[in-house]
Amino acid sequence: MKKVILISIVSMILILACKNSVTNKNKINLNFTSKSDSNVKGTAVFEEKNGIVTFNAKLSGLTPGEHAIHIHEKSDCSAADGSSAGGHWNPTFKNHGKWGSAEYHKGDIGNFMADENGNGTVKFSTNEWCIGCDDETKNIIGKGLIVHKGTDDFTSQPAGNAGARQACSAIIK
């Protein structure tokens, strides 16, 4: 009888552990590292549900005003200026532009506002990304997330002339 109860308890723990790992498979929590002698810090979450990835970021230490944020090619934030993250993530080989226009990179998230205290939030959802899927034109795992000092002009090639990289985070599990 004790063995049956023990086996039942162990089975339930294993079932719950498997269930939690499946749930967590579609959510990534990230922390930004300051770059280019800035004080920019923050957190970001990517979560996939029903084929839609939602991105939420909370940032502080920014200068008030508009800033650009992009997904970059590499999950490497080792360089002091963030350059180790490479260029914009562009798996479909399009010109840089505003998301939803005729041409844009999959990493062209766009601009967001920082308030008078230097705090900003970004929320973005798309079915053009996935977390860990087999489609390399959609999979964001292994990429980098960069916050820029300036705004994206949506025209300058190849990256929108958004200025210094002030914060970086690797999109890894």
Side-chain angles (χ1 to χ4, degrees):
M1 180 72 166
K2 288 182 181 180
K3 282 185 176 181
V4 171
I5 292 172
L6 183 59
I7 291 170
S8 295
I9 291 170
V10 170
S11 296
M12 288 300 289
I13 291 170
L14 290 173
I15 289 168
L16 289 173
C18 289
K19 183 179 178 185
N20 285 340
S21 67
V22 169
T23 301
N24 292 337
K25 177 183 169 188
N26 295 323
K27 185 175 184 179
I28 305 170
N29 295 302
L30 308 172
N31 291 305
F32 285 96
T33 303
S34 299
K35 296 293 169 188
S36 303
D37 296 320
S38 80
N39 293 314
V40 177
K41 295 180 183 174
T43 60
V45 176
F46 286 93
E47 187 167 17
E48 185 173 0
K49 290 182 182 176
N50 302 318
I52 304 292
V53 175
T54 299
F55 166 68
N56 285 294
K58 293 181 181 179
L59 297 147
S60 63
L62 297 156
T63 54
E66 204 168 12
H67 298 269
I69 186 166
H70 302 112
I71 295 177
H72 284 247
E73 300 170 307
K74 302 174 194 167
S75 62
D76 182 354
C77 295
S78 62
D81 64 356
S83 61
S84 52
H88 287 189
W89 177 47
N90 185 16
T92 54
F93 307 103
K94 303 284 185 180
N95 284 324
H96 174 72
K98 188 173 185 173
W99 191 276
S101 63
E103 288 203 20
Y104 56 96
H105 301 156
K106 293 278 182 113
D108 289 342
I109 298 171
N111 296 324
F112 68 98
M113 292 298 294
D115 65 19
E116 64 278 355
N117 297 315
N119 299 315
T121 59
V122 183
K123 185 168 184 172
F124 187 84
S125 295
T126 182
N127 65 352
E128 293 191 43
W129 297 342
C130 66
I131 298 175
C133 69
D134 292 331
D135 185 345
E136 288 305 313
T137 67
K138 294 177 79 171
N139 187 5
I140 61 171
I141 299 295
K143 310 302 179 259
L145 191 57
I146 296 286
V147 177
H148 292 272
K149 184 175 184 176
T151 59
D152 186 331
D153 66 13
F154 304 118
T155 10
S156 299
Q157 299 300 321
N161 198 28
R165 299 172 183 203
Q166 292 197 301
C168 182
S169 183
I171 306 173
I172 53 176
K173 289 186 176 184

